[in-house]
Amino acid sequence: MAANKFWKKKELSSLEQQVGAALTQIESTMTEVKNLKLSSVVDFTAKINAKKQVYLVFIPYPCLSIYNKISQKLLPELEKRVKATILVVAKRTIESKWVKKHRSQTRPNSRTLTSVYDGLLEDLICPSIILGRRTRVRVDGTKFYRIFLDESEQKDLESRLDSIKDVYKVLTTRDLEFEFRRDDTFYQKKGAKKVAKK
């Protein structure tokens, strides 16, 4: 049954079977999970020297819109069953500027390194939203990125921020710093249903 939750993958590791089985259990209570597929699951606990288990789940890019709608309900349920911190990321491809099959071919913006790295960060922080980002340069010349998040999400995100920071550093070699501040602008959360005006 766990194999049904994976996209074009027949041989599963024990970790992937565990996460796949947990998803099929959740499927009975949440019907939206039925269309969600996974690509692979990677254990990042040793790579980032985390005290708690940290699993990075890759999903196919077409399934990202489905995940965004149900992430708020799905993540706590999945973490409860697997007993680990779960981070979900869509599989994206970075294309070189110079590799072309035809000389008139242009690279899509979604395949650039900057776009992929920004997309990774948005996936890791989901269902929260990034309010702002700043690039800062230290005295020794090294860069770090300051990310501003909504302070209303602080309670839910604070326990996950260290693992998000460490996993992002392994994937992209970028240093992150998070700050919470009040959001004065109106926006709608990813996957939130529109409220009809009376």
Side-chain angles (χ1 to χ4, degrees):
M1 287 297 284
N4 295 341
K5 297 308 298 174
F6 283 82
W7 182 267
K8 294 179 181 175
K9 195 169 188 181
K10 289 174 183 176
E11 290 181 15
L12 304 179
S13 66
S14 58
L15 178 59
E16 286 169 344
Q17 282 174 344
Q18 187 188 348
V19 175
L23 262 183
T24 46
Q25 285 171 7
I26 295 166
E27 213 173 280
S28 57
T29 52
M30 288 173 65
T31 51
E32 302 97 328
V33 181
K34 198 174 279 186
N35 298 324
L36 184 68
K37 299 284 181 189
L38 310 178
S39 289
S40 60
V41 182
V42 183
D43 188 355
F44 263 76
T45 316
K47 290 179 186 177
I48 62 173
N49 295 324
K51 291 173 185 174
K52 195 185 172 187
Q53 294 287 328
V54 178
Y55 301 151
L56 185 66
V57 178
F58 288 95
I59 59 171
Y61 189 78
C63 292
L64 185 61
S65 57
I66 300 165
Y67 169 72
N68 284 337
K69 286 175 188 173
I70 59 171
S71 60
Q72 219 162 3
K73 290 180 188 174
L74 178 66
L75 270 180
E77 278 292 315
L78 198 56
E79 286 183 347
K80 206 186 291 176
R81 286 167 200 269
V82 181
K83 291 173 184 167
T85 303
I86 304 281
L87 302 172
V88 181
V89 157
K91 264 206 149 177
R92 291 177 169 86
T93 310
I94 299 171
E95 280 185 8
S96 170
K97 196 177 184 178
W98 312 109
V99 176
K100 295 182 180 182
K101 289 178 183 174
H102 192 269
R103 64 183 173 189
S104 66
Q105 183 183 339
T106 55
R107 176 180 57 161
N109 190 49
S110 62
R111 300 287 172 92
T112 60
L113 182 125
T114 308
S115 176
V116 170
Y117 282 6
D118 289 349
L120 277 174
L121 183 58
E122 281 170 23
D123 291 352
L124 289 169
I125 281 166
C126 189
S128 186
I129 282 176
I130 296 168
L131 300 179
R133 16 178 143 217
R134 303 284 182 272
T135 306
R136 292 282 175 261
V137 182
R138 298 187 185 97
V139 181
D140 60 352
T142 57
K143 277 186 185 179
F144 72 93
Y145 298 84
R146 185 168 285 143
I147 309 297
F148 298 105
L149 304 170
D150 190 1
E151 67 180 24
S152 63
E153 303 280 339
Q154 189 166 354
K155 200 181 282 181
D156 302 328
L157 270 177
E158 218 156 23
S159 59
R160 301 162 59 84
L161 281 183
D162 288 333
S163 48
I164 288 171
K165 203 186 292 184
D166 294 337
V167 167
Y168 191 75
K169 170 83 172 171
V170 171
L171 292 174
T172 63
T173 69
R174 285 183 176 183
D175 283 322
L176 292 181
E177 272 187 22
F178 291 106
E179 254 182 54
F180 290 95
R181 66 180 186 191
R182 203 180 74 208
D183 182 19
D184 296 322
T185 57
F186 174 79
Y187 65 90
Q188 197 169 30
K189 261 189 178 179
K190 282 183 184 176
K193 289 180 181 176
K194 288 182 181 177
V195 180
K197 289 180 181 177
K198 292 180 180 177

